[in-house]
Amino acid sequence: MGIVRLEGEKILLRQMTYEDTDKIVEWRNNERVRSHFIYRENFTPEGHHHWIESMIHTGKAVQFIICEKCGIRPVGSVYFRDIDRVKKEAEYGIFLGEDDAAGKGYGTEAAKLAVEYAFSQMGLKRLVLRVFTDNEAAIRSYETAGFVREAVLENVECSDGERKDMFFMSMEKEKRISFVIPCYRSEITLPKVVKEIKETLHRMKEQGKSYDYEIILVNDCSPDDTFAVIQRLCGEDKKIKGVNLARNFGQHAALMAGFHQVNGDVVVCLDDDGQTPADEVDKLLEEIDNGSDVVYAKYEHKKHSAFRNFGSWVNEEMARIMLGKPRELYVSSYFAAKRFVVEEMKKYTNAYPYVIGLVLRTTKRISNVSVCHREREIGSSGYTFGKLLGLWFNGFTAFSVKPLRMATAVGCMCSVCGFLYGIYTVIKKLVNPNVPMGFSSLMAAIVFMGGMMMMMLGLVGEYIGRMYISMNNSPQFVIRETINEEEW
């Protein structure tokens, strides 16, 4: 791993080395610095070397030297100690050893740089610190950096016997929400959806539920100016990422393309036409916080056409029968999932992705929340009968062998029926020799059996064809270009 160097406006942070021992010892023995520590004994080079060997080298601590950018003069140190890799938390500490460095904002800037490094590079989720209640300048600096007071620790005893009150402060990493929106013929509706997402997150922040966010817009080779709109939105906000597919791969493949771009702790998928209410995403996120791995929006009154409602019903029944979906679970295109679920879904690389099947095979902790479904303002659904039929085939041939078992069962039933009908015909002829052998009944039996055989062969052929395409590594999607990818 290379040397870490973090640059701000006034200062830079570099990793501490053995060569910094003399400075660290000098700073820690400064009376102004020492008075802000619980441990107030004389600090020695041997003690600092022991700290490096027992804490830094073992990964229990990380320490930086604070340097002025102008002249690279070392002025202090910032560190994380007692790093817990399981709980993903650590204790934060900082001291400015040079007296003339105090009051210049170095501490606040160092805290922001170090905290960002801890969250983004060290993978920590929570930082804590302790500060004496009379150290007002440090408290203001910590609060500016984002730490909040949790409790007061009364009568903490220092190494010299003095007792003082301390604030216990903490900071938790702000969760990032990744919104993935497959886009097709949405040049008019897409800006409204993006605006609604931003307004909703702003409202939630005012209510004390703050989230960072990113929006991934996947253009599924739309024939209109949808990608031009995506380019404009990406230019206005670096938190929006555009993905342009080389051809039309379908909604589920577009979702998979978006999943490969996400960086958030929770992934939210919704439609580009405004029918899925982005202003109710807080309901999905709250259910995720309550322990669900995946949360689907449930519509009490759907505003789709009768054709789309029928298609959704068939999709629901197919998922229940073929994929084992619980009867009470409602699935829709508007859902939220924890990051580990998405990471597991990304492992599926075959050419026929089916998101519902991938979710059902990943986790059983799936729930519903009720939201309002809106009328479509512009245009019509992109799902034709052919696309819906393809989606259904995709679902039960990619994730279930039940159709093959059903075909076997139907074949056995037809064989039994044919055998029984043959016995019936023989007995009928023996009982009444004058019964004519009917041409119509013979043709009906032949056509019926032939039709059943062709249907079963077609079903088997569908499986074999998909296996062949998968063996040839046919891609789920092909990305022509991305926008703002470098921002993450």
Side-chain angles (χ1 to χ4, degrees):
M1 181 178 177
I3 299 297
V4 177
R5 183 185 175 102
L6 311 174
E7 292 195 23
E9 294 182 6
K10 302 176 183 178
I11 64 167
L12 62 84
L13 305 183
R14 62 168 175 79
Q15 283 180 297
M16 184 268 298
T17 66
Y18 277 105
E19 284 72 24
D20 297 306
T21 297
D22 291 342
K23 272 294 182 184
I24 295 287
V25 172
E26 177 188 342
W27 294 335
R28 281 288 280 107
N29 289 327
N30 182 317
E31 185 58 34
R32 174 181 55 80
V33 174
R34 181 157 42 185
S35 66
H36 294 150
F37 278 82
I38 296 176
Y39 179 79
R40 296 177 177 178
E41 303 303 320
N42 190 52
F43 201 65
T44 65
E46 292 76 19
H48 186 249
H49 289 166
H50 177 71
W51 160 267
I52 293 176
E53 292 165 3
S54 63
M55 298 293 285
I56 303 296
H57 289 173
T58 60
K60 297 178 182 178
V62 172
Q63 188 166 5
F64 296 97
I65 298 297
I66 305 171
C67 300
E68 293 176 324
K69 288 189 73 174
C70 182
I72 317 299
R73 179 177 71 122
V75 297
S77 181
V78 60
Y79 58 88
F80 302 100
R81 62 171 297 159
D82 300 328
I83 299 173
D84 189 326
R85 301 292 180 182
V86 177
K87 294 183 179 179
K88 296 185 177 181
E89 67 178 28
E91 182 171 347
Y92 170 83
I94 184 173
F95 54 89
L96 293 175
E98 302 296 333
D99 292 333
D100 63 349
K104 293 184 178 180
Y106 292 170
T108 300
E109 189 171 356
K112 290 181 178 179
L113 289 172
V115 165
E116 174 60 27
Y117 178 80
F119 287 152
S120 63
Q121 302 300 317
M122 295 172 61
L124 300 182
K125 301 290 186 182
R126 187 170 186 263
L127 300 175
V128 300
L129 63 83
R130 293 168 293 172
V131 57
F132 291 119
T133 56
D134 59 359
N135 192 354
E136 295 180 359
I139 294 171
R140 286 196 301 270
S141 176
Y142 294 144
E143 290 180 333
T144 301
F147 286 90
V148 295
R149 306 178 194 184
E150 278 196 13
V152 177
L153 308 176
E154 298 180 349
N155 294 320
V156 177
E157 184 176 2
C158 301
S159 63
D160 61 359
E162 183 182 12
R163 291 182 175 274
K164 299 179 69 174
D165 292 345
M166 302 187 79
F167 284 127
F168 181 81
M169 306 180 73
S170 69
M171 178 193 296
E172 294 193 12
K173 180 183 178 183
E174 190 175 53
K175 275 188 177 181
R176 172 178 282 187
I177 310 301
S178 297
F179 292 89
V180 178
I181 306 177
C183 307
Y184 189 79
R185 294 186 182 274
S186 55
E187 59 178 321
I188 298 177
T189 58
L190 188 57
K192 297 179 182 179
V193 174
V194 171
K195 181 181 178 182
E196 185 176 30
I197 290 174
K198 294 181 179 180
E199 290 176 346
T200 301
L201 292 174
H202 180 71
R203 170 178 57 80
M204 292 170 62
K205 186 174 183 179
E206 291 179 340
Q207 296 172 349
K209 302 175 182 178
S210 181
Y211 293 97
D212 190 12
Y213 73 92
E214 62 180 6
I215 303 174
I216 293 91
L217 306 176
V218 184
N219 177 44
D220 195 17
C221 202
S222 181
D224 60 1
D225 290 331
T226 294
F227 190 63
V229 173
I230 292 175
Q231 290 175 311
R232 176 173 60 81
L233 292 171
C234 292
E236 296 171 353
D237 188 348
K238 296 301 182 182
K239 291 187 176 184
I240 300 177
K241 183 174 184 177
V243 179
N244 190 25
L245 300 186
R247 66 173 178 82
N248 181 262
F249 286 88
Q251 182 185 26
H252 289 242
L255 284 173
M256 294 296 290
F259 291 162
H260 281 77
Q261 310 297 324
V262 300
N263 294 286
D265 302 292
V266 178
V267 178
V268 176
C269 301
L270 65 161
D271 293 341
D272 59 344
D273 54 15
Q275 286 193 275
T276 49
D279 61 347
E280 295 191 63
V281 70
D282 55 328
K283 295 182 179 180
L284 278 68
L285 297 177
E286 183 178 356
E287 190 68 16
I288 289 286
D289 290 338
N290 289 338
S292 294
D293 294 332
V294 181
V295 182
Y296 280 98
K298 183 178 182 179
Y299 309 122
E300 299 297 337
H301 303 285
K302 296 187 69 174
K303 304 297 183 179
H304 283 315
S305 65
F307 170 71
R308 275 300 308 276
N309 286 334
F310 171 73
S312 298
W313 177 81
V314 172
N315 193 50
E316 284 275 326
E317 291 302 305
M318 184 271 295
R320 182 180 63 82
I321 297 172
M322 302 296 181
L323 307 179
K325 179 186 75 67
R327 180 181 291 274
E328 67 278 4
L329 177 66
Y330 178 89
V331 295
S332 66
S333 59
Y334 189 18
F335 66 94
K338 290 182 177 178
R339 179 66 178 272
F340 86 90
V341 175
V342 173
E343 291 300 317
E344 186 64 30
M345 293 166 69
K346 285 162 55 177
K347 295 178 182 178
Y348 182 83
T349 58
N350 288 338
Y352 298 98
Y354 185 62
V355 171
I356 297 171
L358 292 171
V359 169
L360 290 172
R361 79 175 190 176
T362 300
T363 180
K364 296 299 182 184
R365 295 171 65 176
I366 310 173
S367 59
N368 284 129
V369 293
S370 295
V371 301
C372 296
H373 197 234
R374 298 171 179 165
E375 294 278 1
R376 176 182 288 271
E377 295 182 5
I378 299 170
S380 58
S381 171
Y383 270 110
T384 62
F385 179 75
K387 288 184 177 181
L388 282 175
L389 191 62
L391 180 65
W392 300 334
F393 265 97
N394 201 25
F396 66 71
T397 57
F399 296 93
S400 176
V401 295
K402 286 185 178 179
L404 291 175
R405 293 172 180 170
M406 291 173 61
T408 301
V410 171
C412 292
M413 290 175 58
C414 290
S415 298
V416 170
C417 290
F419 179 73
L420 294 176
Y421 184 75
I423 294 176
Y424 167 75
T425 303
V426 171
I427 294 175
K428 187 176 181 181
K429 185 67 175 176
L430 292 174
V431 172
N432 185 5
N434 296 323
V435 173
M437 300 302 293
F439 176 78
S440 299
S441 59
L442 178 62
M443 290 302 298
I446 293 175
V447 170
F448 174 73
M449 294 301 296
M452 292 300 300
M453 291 175 63
M454 292 298 294
M455 183 186 74
M456 294 172 194
L457 285 174
L459 185 59
V460 173
E462 183 73 23
Y463 275 91
I464 295 174
R466 287 172 181 264
M467 290 170 58
Y468 175 75
I469 292 173
S470 297
M471 289 173 61
N472 280 338
N473 294 321
S474 182
Q476 285 182 353
F477 54 85
V478 177
I479 297 178
R480 184 187 302 277
E481 60 183 306
T482 60
I483 306 173
N484 287 342
E485 182 177 13
E486 68 281 357
E487 295 301 322
W488 299 299

